[in-house]
């Protein structure tokens, strides 16, 4: 096999120089090489959604992405969504306010997916939220509260009187 | 995963030349099915040729009213594209009813067609599987075969190198079959077009091959012929969302006044390829839509089905599904949800929703 080549991965606005084995997934690069462990490894087979990140603003599964394919492209993880001053993203705050987790393991993936779900315009009703969040499993079954958190953020986004964006 | 080399192709010619020159090379696009199979050691390429940089990501109108969809267009882009939603509704519904939004954001249109079966024995190296290890036999015929084929399978017993009862897992492919899509391919010998029916194959003497493509054949586009009718996709699965079909049905019906000018009907998850019900289609042509007609068409379509120890439910389920899909397509019964969405494609709507009172 050829020697690993240097590759630049952009994560949360920062550039990271990696020399990945060709088999390295984005999930493993984030957790094992870059040290961002907020993104979780659940099933590692694309079935649970715990590893959800944003690729150029769209939600994807980092366990099924080979890092070699993403040179120069922009990834956002759970560590990159709060504002730089440390104020939580509205979706993070809503998950706390609505008690939308129990053990918390699926939560980073749920929040990344939920932010995208609202942005895509797929959070118009409880039914639509259920359909478009079906790729994120929660074994504690916090689903009713997750849906409430997403509804609250969607309502805030739609309400011009509300300052949350 | 077995180590492999990773290479980006810059254009179509580059990709095709690389695939022709290198042994055991595979193209990679979205990778959602492929990376999982690499992890499982089911697929062992020496080189992956990434085709992302080639482009192939446009949806364009064709002369005469058809639509061309680039091979790398993502499933989520296609599912929400106005022309697909309005003119090729079954394809939008099938896309929305498949996978999750994360996977639809990654998966390419050509890759969707080339995904491999979800037969559990393909993914278990300790079990017989003629797809994974040709000649090893088939564990499914005497094993867990609830999801497996009732049409077109080869069954000469668990030990036979020809036996395979796997089904094709794609929802979208079933809708493409009903729309008689055309596959545009580039290879070392140039460009060619093949009918959708000729893309996938039956296991026959060689279950290891899913399609009729050669190793340096690159799908560059999918063309949808002009269609002036109504199409629809209906899917039954074990849970309300994010599950493979037990049985699904795609229909594409064009009317002439109050009579059916042409009807195309395809079933999913019943065979090694999307399964057209040609006998049912012939019976529908020129007739007025009615529940009785659709029941007869479904009967005719399901003739010859052969079941296994755990999938005896499939012919009955398919009969009901075909009749219902035709009824919904022709407006005799209403859709479960807005046309072109997952809600129209789900037989039971969305389970567990408690509407606010």
């Amino acid at each position: 096999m050829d020697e690993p080549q240097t590759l630049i991965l952009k994560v949360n606005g920062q550039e990271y120089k990696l020399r990945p084995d060709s088999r390295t997934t984005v999930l493993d690069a984030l957790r094992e090489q870059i040290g961002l462990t907020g993104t979780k490894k659940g099933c590692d087979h694309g079935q649970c959604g715990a590893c959800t990140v944003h690729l150029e603003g769209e939600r994807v599964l980092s366990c099924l992405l080979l890092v070699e394919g993403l040179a120069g492209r922009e990834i956002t993880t759970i560590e990159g969504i709060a504002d730089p001053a440390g104020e939580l993203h509205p979706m993070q705050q809503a998950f706390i306010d609505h008690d939308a987790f129990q053990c918390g393991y699926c939560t980073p993936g749920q929040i990344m997916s939920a932010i995208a779900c609202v942005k895509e315009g797929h959070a118009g009703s409880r039914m639509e939220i259920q359909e478009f969040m079906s790729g994120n499993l929660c074994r504690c079954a916090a689903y009713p509260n997750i849906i409430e958190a997403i509804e609250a953020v969607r309502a805030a986004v739609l309400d011009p009187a509300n300052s949350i964006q | 995963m077995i180590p492999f080399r990773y290479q980006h192709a810059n254009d179509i010619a580059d990709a095709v030349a690389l695939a022709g020159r290198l042994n055991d090379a595979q193209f990679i696009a979205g990778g959602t099915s492929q990376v999982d199979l690499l992890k499982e050691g089911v697929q062992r390429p020496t080189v992956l040729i990434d085709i992302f940089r080639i482009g192939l990501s446009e949806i364009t109108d064709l002369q005469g009213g058809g639509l061309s969809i680039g091979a790398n267009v993502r499933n989520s882009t296609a599912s929400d594209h106005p022309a697909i939603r309005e003119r090729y509704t079954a394809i939008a519904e099938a896309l929305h009813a498949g996978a999750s939004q994360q996977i639809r954001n990654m998966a390419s249109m050509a890759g969707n067609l080339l995904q491999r079966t979800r037969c559990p024995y393909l993914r278990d190296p300790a079990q017989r599987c003629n797809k994974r290890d040709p000649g090893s036999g088939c564990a499914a015929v005497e094993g867990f075969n609830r999801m497996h084929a009732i049409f077109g399978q080869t069954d000469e017993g668990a030990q036979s190198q020809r036996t395979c009862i796997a089904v094709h897992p794609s929802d979208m492919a079933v809708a493409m079959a009903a729309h008689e899509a055309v596959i545009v391919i580039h290879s070392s010998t140039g460009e060619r077009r093949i009918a959708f029916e000729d893309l996938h194959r039956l296991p026959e003497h060689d279950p290891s091959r899913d399609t009729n493509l050669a190793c340096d054949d690159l799908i560059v586009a999918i063309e949808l012929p002009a269609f002036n009718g109504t199409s629809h996709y209906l899917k039954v699965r074990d849970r309300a969302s994010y599950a493979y079909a037990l049985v699904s049905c795609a229909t594409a019906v064009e009317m002439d006044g109050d009579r059916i000018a042409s009807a195309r009907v395809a079933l999913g998850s019943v065979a090694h390829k999307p399964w057209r019900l040609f006998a049912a289609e012939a019976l529908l042509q020129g007739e007025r839509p009615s529940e009785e007609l659709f029941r007869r068409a479904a009967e005719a379509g399901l003739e010859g089905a052969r079941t296994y120890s755990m999938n005896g439910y499939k012919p009955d389920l398919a009969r009901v599904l075909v009749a219902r899909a035709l009824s919904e397509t022709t407006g005799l019964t209403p859709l479960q949800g807005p046309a072109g969405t997952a809600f129209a494609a789900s037989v039971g709507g969305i389970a567990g929703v408690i509407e606010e009172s």
Side-chain angles (χ1 to χ4, degrees), chain B residues 155-341:
Chain B
D155 178 7
E156 297 175 359
Q159 318 278 336
S160 167
Q161 60 181 7
R162 291 159 56 101
T163 297
C164 179
I165 64 169
V167 297
H168 197 271
S170 167
D171 292 296
M172 184 189 79
V174 186
M176 293 258 178
H179 274 293
E180 293 191 325
V182 173
I183 305 298
V184 187
I185 297 163
H186 272 254
S187 73
S188 50
T189 56
E191 183 182 285
R192 69 184 195 278
R193 283 170 165 71
I194 62 169
F196 197 81
E197 190 64 17
D198 298 326
L199 173 63
H200 300 100
R201 59 186 292 283
L202 294 177
E204 293 172 342
H205 60 282
D206 184 5
S208 71
R209 289 174 55 222
D210 298 346
T211 70
N212 290 313
L213 300 179
C215 66
D216 68 341
D217 279 341
L218 178 68
I219 297 178
V220 296
I222 300 160
E223 293 181 348
L224 302 175
F227 177 68
N228 298 303
T230 309
S231 74
H232 180 36
Y233 185 72
L234 204 49
K235 174 176 180 179
V236 184
R237 43 190 159 170
D238 281 328
R239 57 186 184 194
S241 182
Y242 200 20
Y244 288 94
L246 297 171
V247 179
S248 69
C249 179
T251 57
V253 178
E254 289 175 305
M255 300 294 293
D256 180 6
D258 65 349
R259 290 183 183 270
I260 295 170
S262 80
R264 294 188 295 271
V265 184
L267 285 175
S269 290
V270 299
H272 199 254
K273 59 189 285 188
W275 191 254
R276 283 280 293 275
L277 303 185
F278 294 109
E281 294 174 7
L283 213 142
L284 292 165
Q285 194 177 349
E287 301 292 325
R288 286 195 182 86
S290 76
E291 300 292 355
E292 191 273 333
L293 172 69
F294 295 154
R295 273 196 301 274
R296 271 197 294 128
E299 269 315 315
L302 268 294
E303 262 178 42
R306 180 178 170 196
T307 61
Y308 291 85
S309 59
M310 295 180 184
N311 71 353
Y313 69 93
K314 280 198 177 186
D316 282 342
L317 188 57
R319 268 186 282 268
V320 174
L321 202 63
V322 168
R324 176 169 159 182
L326 285 166
S327 181
E328 291 182 356
T329 309
T330 54
L332 295 187
T333 49
L335 297 174
Q336 287 282 310
T341 68

Side-chain angles (χ1 to χ4, degrees), chain A residues 32-159:
Chain A
E32 308 294 338
Q33 296 190 34
I34 296 175
L36 293 172
T37 55
T39 307
K40 299 301 184 220
K41 183 180 279 196
C43 68
D44 209 24
H45 291 287
Q47 296 173 2
C48 75
C51 69
T52 301
V53 298
H54 293 177
L55 173 61
E56 282 153 7
E58 305 217 312
R59 50 177 158 160
V60 294
L61 298 177
S62 61
C63 77
L64 294 181
L65 281 173
L66 293 174
V67 77
E68 287 261 21
L70 294 191
R73 299 179 70 193
E74 177 72 44
I75 291 162
T76 307
T77 70
I78 189 74
E79 290 93 340
I81 59 168
D83 80 17
E87 191 180 339
L88 294 179
H89 185 282
M91 191 64 77
Q92 289 175 303
Q93 191 58 52
F95 266 60
I96 294 169
D97 296 343
H98 292 270
D99 193 18
F101 52 90
Q102 197 176 122
C103 84
Y105 196 81
C106 74
T107 310
Q110 297 278 2
I111 289 175
M112 296 309 286
S113 197
I115 291 169
C117 185
V118 172
K119 193 180 129 209
E120 292 156 9
H122 288 145
S125 64
R126 291 180 72 87
M127 196 163 112
E128 202 178 17
I129 293 169
Q130 278 186 289
E131 174 57 38
F132 281 92
M133 288 295 292
S134 68
N136 292 81
L137 305 188
C138 171
R139 297 316 308 263
C140 306
Y143 299 113
N145 296 9
I146 291 171
I147 293 167
E148 275 179 24
I150 296 173
E151 280 193 301
V153 173
R154 181 248 302 155
V157 167
L158 292 180
D159 181 0

Side-chain angles (χ1 to χ4, degrees), chain B residues 18-27 34 45-49 215:
Chain B
L18 281 170
R21 197 170 69 233
L22 304 165
N23 283 330
D24 296 322
Q26 286 180 359
F27 297 120
Q34 198 173 9
T46 55
V47 187
L48 287 183
I49 304 167
C215 66

Side-chain angles (χ1 to χ4, degrees), chain B residues 87-203:
Chain B
R87 285 148 58 192
Y88 305 98
T89 312
I91 293 173
E93 289 173 356
L95 283 166
H96 273 293
S100 65
Q101 187 69 11
Q102 289 98 311
I103 290 174
R104 292 190 291 268
N105 278 341
M106 302 165 71
S108 75
M109 292 295 273
N112 183 313
L113 298 176
L114 301 180
Q115 63 182 298
R116 307 208 69 194
T117 182
R118 306 307 290 199
C119 173
Y121 300 107
L122 173 72
R123 285 151 204 275
D124 183 348
Q127 303 276 354
R128 297 172 189 279
C129 175
N130 284 324
K131 267 197 184 301
R132 187 190 60 249
D133 296 312
S136 65
C138 170
V141 275
E142 292 171 4
F144 286 95
N145 47 42
R146 181 168 168 267
M147 304 293 285
H148 289 72
I150 58 173
F151 285 117
Q153 67 271 40
T154 306
D155 178 7
E156 297 175 359
Q159 318 278 336
S160 167
Q161 60 181 7
R162 291 159 56 101
T163 297
C164 179
I165 64 169
V167 297
H168 197 271
S170 167
D171 292 296
M172 184 189 79
V174 186
M176 293 258 178
H179 274 293
E180 293 191 325
V182 173
I183 305 298
V184 187
I185 297 163
H186 272 254
S187 73
S188 50
T189 56
E191 183 182 285
R192 69 184 195 278
R193 283 170 165 71
I194 62 169
F196 197 81
E197 190 64 17
D198 298 326
L199 173 63
H200 300 100
R201 59 186 292 283
L202 294 177

